[in-house]
Amino acid sequence: MIEPSRNRGFFGRTGLVFGLGLLIGGLIVAGSLVAWWLRATPEPVFAVDEGWTDMMRAARNGDAAAVRRLLEEGGDPNAQGGQMKLTPLIVSAANGHREIVELLLTRGASLEAADSAGMTPLMNAVMFDQTAVVQLLLDRGANVNAQTRDGNMTPLMFARSSAVAKVLLLNGADARARTRDGKSAADGAEALGQGDLAELMRLAERQATGPNMNSVPTNIAPAPLTVAGSGESPSRTPSGQRQPPDTRDIEIQQPPVSEPIPPARLDGGEVRRVVFRNPMAGFSIVAPEDWEMATGGAGNIEMAIDASTGASLVCQPAIWFFYSPNAPQQEAELLASDFQRLGAETPHVRATGRDDEWEVQATFPLTQLGAVWTEWRCRREQGMAYVVGAAVREELRPRFQGDLDAALTSCRLIDHPIVQAFREPTEQAYTLSLPCGWKWEGRILRTAAIPGFFEWKAQRDDELVGCFTAEPAVLNVAIPYQSPREVAGGVLLERLQAFLPDSQLIEVRELPRVEQCLMQTAALALPGMRPRGGKAVADYVGTQHGTRVRLRVEIATWMPDASIMPGIEGRGNWFIFTSGAWAPEGEFEEAYWLARSVQSSLCTSSQWKRRQGEAVGDVLGRRRGALEEAGAGWDALIRGMERVPDPDGGPIQEVPHLQGQVWKDLDGRMWRVAPNAESEAWVRDQGWRFIR
């Protein structure tokens, strides 16, 4: 165990908690995404009409072999077809079929042949956010500053994501170009509510060297995540037909002022409390059933309505748990010192009267949130010291005091399984705690709409118990927004039945306080936008490997901004997020909490966050700075890991800092074994070696 420095500065242990809890609120999406089994296949761009050539149809469907055969048979790569006068190159570029784009270009396809709206292949690729194809077309000589037929729109004006915009700017796109009405690309992005994209374009506009920029500063920070196709240029209508902008008389207008969002109420009705068990971290606690449990950015366990995206105290309380190397009284005094640095006048430290338990209470001011009340219990049980704390805005305290008292009083250490510290192997992006006998598989997902996301599952060797966090389902204005309840009985059930044919939905429990918290936080983080979102928990049953299993899925839907465009009011680009756990029906309640605690043990590495921060730019700047300061000197402690030297000369390994002994298996991996006769007898039978 690394001993923490006593001179922690302003961002000490309190900074860890509040630096994270208060600064992480920009990404409002809760939960994960459509189940591990879900692989939503996007529908091709453009609806086929009778005037299309066979080559256009093959290009739309991504059939490179058919396109190659038609070219060899003498097909014209520049033939236009349909009412929109599309070409095979335009169709393949808009759909992101890079191989076909390359093939057509080598066979003489024109880079500048435009459709009926005057849009070149590059403009179509930009509008549909096909970053790789955009780069390919530019490498082959496409005009980065081409204009639509009436001289109105440039490729940069069709950009709806920072990834594509940066590619264009780095290849000489003129950010100072104007429409006939004097509007720039930045004006258009701003009018559509994409403030960060507009800021990127305005920065390029200020630093441009001329109409055809010979150089664009490479330190232009990409804007935060924006969804391809949002706003002015929807990717498809309900029929699948792309509607090009009317470039004859286009006018970019500011959106009307939205009605003020009424304050959300989180006290509408009683929410029952349940016992949350986290065997992987070795504790249990009583909390409202609509709270989540997750590992915070610095490794501490968080509990809150939005814990998975970083607990925000705007409209709710939050709970934190971590192990400590200090005696309870010493830990309480250190916490009190930290609260004084935050501005608390006289933190109250006292022994509670229980064995080995001390308590700290304080109230201090925070910018924008006002007075924040906090209470921490420092305890020692079974030779292990730990801390459980709560914080809430003073004005919300009466509403949640009962929940906080129940959580702080009920927290207790519990037995844990034989535990291994697992690290994501491809990029060292995150760590998990895995029980003995479990296996992992996963990948890091990167798309134009989602620059970085962890898709993974972990399961027992027999595959009958496990958990997952799944790939995002990214939908556009062509598909109306659906509530989590609608998704549970619709697309999610349909996809699940493709893998478990007898799957049935048996229950859906909506979590209205999650939606209320989401909306209130979004109103502060996304001013002027009209978000929609919600969350529900759905239970399914089905047969896997001959065993009846129950699958519990947390479903969140999120639309950052409902469109105000005529004809598609209330629509916008939106996401479906799912994660969950499964187990045989007969052992579900016990196995579910084990699987869920594996899921909540995911801790993103600071190195990966830094790399990701560089990729998505300054949008994560505040969060990253708080993490780095708060985590200094606390990395191993707060992550709950112990570094154990290998007596056989191998590399030092991290082992979860829990009760029990460290053993080494036959493959050289180290495990923490629970201090009971059954576990120790089992590892001896396996031939494992005792380390310490």
Side-chain angles (χ1 to χ4, degrees):
M1 176 62 67
I2 296 176
E3 181 69 10
S5 169
R6 292 295 185 271
N7 182 19
R8 296 185 300 255
F10 182 79
F11 281 96
R13 184 176 294 104
T14 308
L16 166 76
V17 173
F18 296 103
L20 296 176
L22 302 180
L23 295 181
I24 300 178
L27 298 180
I28 312 299
V29 178
S32 344
L33 307 184
V34 182
W36 172 266
W37 298 279
L38 300 190
R39 293 287 192 275
T41 303
E43 189 157 334
V45 172
F46 300 123
V48 178
D49 67 32
E50 295 180 356
W52 277 36
T53 65
D54 290 341
M55 192 179 299
M56 290 171 61
R57 296 171 189 266
R60 174 184 183 268
N61 297 328
D63 191 344
V67 172
R68 183 176 291 105
R69 175 178 55 79
L70 291 168
L71 288 168
E72 292 172 351
E73 292 174 355
D76 183 1
N78 292 307
Q80 293 183 306
Q83 296 180 352
M84 298 180 65
K85 304 299 181 185
L86 303 173
T87 67
L89 184 59
I90 289 175
V91 173
S92 58
N95 281 283
H97 300 317
R98 193 176 189 277
E99 180 184 357
I100 296 176
V101 171
E102 287 187 298
L103 177 61
L104 291 168
L105 291 174
T106 60
R107 299 300 182 92
S110 172
L111 277 166
E112 306 302 331
D115 59 21
S116 60
M119 294 178 61
T120 64
L122 177 61
M123 292 176 183
N124 277 276
V126 169
M127 186 170 72
F128 292 103
D129 213 38
Q130 305 295 354
T131 309
V133 172
V134 168
Q135 185 66 67
L136 172 61
L137 294 172
L138 292 169
D139 291 344
R140 294 299 183 90
N143 185 355
V144 72
N145 290 306
Q147 294 180 317
T148 50
R149 189 163 292 116
D150 57 1
N152 207 31
M153 300 278 284
T154 67
L156 187 61
M157 295 176 183
F158 291 102
R160 292 296 174 264
S161 79
S162 61
V164 166
K166 189 173 183 181
V167 169
L168 294 170
L169 290 167
L170 291 174
N171 283 272
D174 184 5
R176 299 179 302 176
R178 295 292 192 271
T179 65
R180 192 170 53 193
D181 296 327
K183 304 295 185 182
S184 67
D187 294 330
E190 194 169 75
L192 295 170
Q194 296 173 297
D196 293 291
L197 179 59
E199 183 178 350
L200 166 65
M201 293 175 173
R202 292 201 191 284
L203 176 61
E205 189 175 341
R206 290 193 299 270
Q207 298 183 354
T209 59
N212 297 304
M213 292 186 292
N214 296 318
S215 64
V216 176
T218 57
N219 62 348
I220 293 177
L225 174 65
T226 52
V227 183
S230 62
E232 160 66 26
S233 302
S235 55
R236 292 189 298 274
T237 64
S239 65
Q241 181 71 42
R242 191 260 287 163
Q243 295 291 323
D246 184 357
T247 57
R248 294 169 299 177
D249 190 20
I250 193 166
E251 181 177 356
I252 301 177
Q253 298 179 339
Q254 294 290 334
V257 177
S258 302
E259 291 293 324
I261 300 176
R265 293 182 59 84
L266 299 180
D267 56 351
E270 293 295 325
V271 177
R272 72 186 182 103
R273 298 173 189 148
V274 298
V275 179
F276 283 74
R277 299 181 68 248
N278 190 327
M280 303 307 296
F283 76 98
S284 68
I285 193 168
V286 173
E289 67 174 340
D290 56 1
W291 284 16
E292 295 179 302
M293 184 179 290
T295 300
N300 56 305
I301 301 297
E302 293 183 351
M303 291 194 69
I305 287 176
D306 59 353
S308 63
T309 53
S312 168
L313 297 182
V314 171
C315 56
Q316 59 165 343
I319 297 286
W320 289 272
F321 173 95
F322 59 88
Y323 288 99
S324 168
N326 303 314
Q329 181 177 357
Q330 181 186 14
E331 187 67 41
E333 291 169 349
L334 288 168
L335 282 167
S337 176
D338 286 336
F339 291 137
Q340 285 183 315
R341 293 188 180 94
L342 285 172
E345 292 184 1
T346 53
H348 182 58
V349 180
R350 70 178 185 90
T352 65
R354 296 183 178 180
D355 291 342
D356 280 338
E357 180 179 86
W358 281 71
E359 176 185 80
V360 184
Q361 290 186 357
T363 301
F364 51 87
L366 284 177
T367 305
Q368 296 182 342
L369 289 181
V372 172
W373 174 88
T374 187
E375 179 177 339
W376 297 77
R377 304 280 181 91
C378 307
R379 297 191 182 112
R380 187 194 302 274
E381 293 179 27
Q382 306 171 44
M384 295 289 292
Y386 67 92
V387 179
V388 57
V392 65
R393 292 170 59 196
E394 187 67 64
E395 63 184 86
L396 301 179
R397 181 180 167 191
R399 187 184 309 170
F400 293 105
Q401 188 68 63
D403 291 333
L404 299 181
D405 288 343
L408 294 174
T409 303
S410 65
C411 187
R412 288 292 181 271
L413 300 187
I414 61 174
D415 289 340
H416 64 83
I418 299 173
V419 179
Q420 179 194 14
F422 171 84
R423 188 177 296 274
E424 189 276 327
T426 62
E427 298 184 31
Q428 307 293 293
Y430 59 86
T431 58
L432 285 168
S433 292
L434 291 182
C436 182
W438 281 50
K439 55 188 177 182
W440 168 95
E441 60 182 279
R443 63 172 180 150
I444 297 177
L445 176 69
R446 290 186 176 88
T447 68
I450 302 170
F453 189 87
F454 304 146
E455 180 192 24
W456 61 277
K457 69 176 175 180
Q459 57 188 337
R460 206 166 64 186
D461 279 342
D462 62 7
E463 301 183 353
L464 292 178
V465 178
C467 57
F468 66 87
T469 292
E471 178 182 352
V474 183
L475 303 102
N476 61 24
V477 294
I479 302 173
Y481 171 82
Q482 297 178 25
S483 69
R485 176 176 286 276
E486 291 172 317
V487 170
V491 61
L492 183 52
L493 178 59
E494 178 183 339
R495 301 283 175 150
L496 187 59
Q497 288 174 338
F499 294 86
L500 301 177
D502 64 342
S503 300
Q504 297 179 358
L505 174 64
I506 59 175
E507 184 182 9
V508 179
R509 299 180 300 285
E510 294 180 293
L511 304 175
R513 293 204 311 179
V514 177
E515 179 177 358
Q516 294 164 8
C517 181
L518 192 73
M519 294 301 100
Q520 186 165 340
T521 309
L524 298 177
L526 306 171
M529 300 184 74
R530 304 165 59 208
R532 299 180 65 180
K535 188 173 183 181
V537 176
D539 277 21
Y540 302 84
V541 293
T543 304
Q544 182 176 10
H545 302 316
T547 300
R548 196 68 168 168
V549 298
R550 179 185 291 254
L551 169 67
R552 180 165 293 166
V553 184
E554 295 183 356
I555 306 168
T557 55
W558 172 246
M559 181 187 290
D561 195 17
S563 175
I564 57 172
M565 295 180 61
I568 55 171
E569 294 87 349
R571 293 196 184 190
N573 297 284
W574 61 288
F575 302 82
I576 303 174
F577 298 85
T578 64
S579 63
W582 72 92
E585 281 196 293
E587 57 178 294
F588 182 78
E589 288 306 320
E590 185 73 19
Y592 168 74
W593 287 110
L594 176 63
R596 184 167 176 175
S597 68
V598 170
Q599 187 176 24
S600 68
S601 72
L602 187 144
C603 180
T604 307
S605 75
S606 58
Q607 292 83 3
W608 192 88
K609 285 180 180 177
R610 189 173 296 111
R611 294 195 300 269
Q612 188 71 355
E614 293 169 356
V616 300
D618 289 343
V619 66
L620 297 181
R622 291 186 304 150
R623 183 184 315 183
R624 189 166 60 252
L627 288 173
E628 290 173 351
E629 289 194 68
W634 282 83
D635 185 58
L637 168 66
I638 296 301
R639 287 192 296 107
M641 296 297 169
E642 180 180 359
R643 293 171 59 81
V644 179
D646 188 341
D648 299 321
I652 294 176
Q653 297 188 37
E654 287 189 346
V655 181
H657 181 62
L658 297 168
Q659 304 171 60
Q661 301 167 334
V662 178
W663 292 70
K664 185 177 179 181
D665 68 15
L666 300 180
D667 295 324
R669 294 175 298 178
M670 294 188 189
W671 302 77
R672 177 74 70 183
V673 178
N676 59 65
E678 182 179 357
S679 294
E680 293 178 7
W682 187 87
V683 298
R684 291 183 189 279
D685 289 343
Q686 301 301 311
W688 291 14
R689 179 182 173 188
F690 171 73
I691 302 300
R692 67 183 190 191

